[in-house]
Amino acid sequence: ARTLKKKVPGATVLFLRPGVFEDIERRLRERMQIPADELEQRLKVAKNEIALAESFDYVIDNIEGEFEKTCEKTIETLIIQRS
């Protein structure tokens, strides 16, 4: 978020946060056939990224199975921000 804001002053930055961390691990395991050490590295990166969520202007929870709701909240947030 900080890098983007430096490059694009005035930008509004959104973070789509997974509902629960276990969803990330499950999705990675289902979608990819990767070695355990690579999976652990990806999960570590994900944890670090989630920890930075509060540096974004808005954090929107991206709950498994609630795609439409996440889209609506994102659009609503952008509309309110532009007002």
Side-chain angles (χ1 to χ4, degrees), residues 20-56:
V20 293
F21 189 77
E22 290 77 16
D23 286 346
I24 295 172
E25 183 172 1
R26 184 182 48 72
R27 288 177 190 166
L28 284 172
R29 287 183 189 280
E30 288 175 359
R31 292 181 187 166
M32 307 178 137
Q33 297 295 323
I34 57 176
D37 59 329
E38 185 178 338
L39 174 65
E40 291 305 314
Q41 180 61 31
R42 287 175 178 253
L43 293 172
K44 183 179 177 181
V45 168
K47 282 183 184 179
N48 291 337
E49 289 175 350
I50 291 169
L52 295 173
E54 299 307 319
S55 67
F56 288 69

Side-chain angles (χ1 to χ4, degrees):
R2 283 179 261 161
T3 302
L4 181 60
K5 286 182 167 260
K6 282 182 183 179
K7 291 184 178 190
V8 185
T12 299
V13 187
L14 303 172
F15 185 87
L16 295 177
R17 177 175 49 202
V20 293
F21 189 77
E22 290 77 16
D23 286 346
I24 295 172
E25 183 172 1
R26 184 182 48 72
R27 288 177 190 166
L28 284 172
R29 287 183 189 280
E30 288 175 359
R31 292 181 187 166
M32 307 178 137
Q33 297 295 323
I34 57 176
D37 59 329
E38 185 178 338
L39 174 65
E40 291 305 314
Q41 180 61 31
R42 287 175 178 253
L43 293 172
K44 183 179 177 181
V45 168
K47 282 183 184 179
N48 291 337
E49 289 175 350
I50 291 169
L52 295 173
E54 299 307 319
S55 67
F56 288 69
D57 296 314
Y58 299 95
V59 178
I60 299 170
D61 290 321
N62 185 16
I63 307 297
E64 179 85 18
E66 296 185 11
F67 178 75
E68 294 293 327
K69 186 175 179 181
T70 301
C71 290
E72 289 171 9
K73 181 67 177 172
T74 302
I75 292 167
E76 176 183 304
T77 300
L78 291 172
I79 289 171
I80 290 169
Q81 188 277 330
R82 292 186 124 203
S83 299

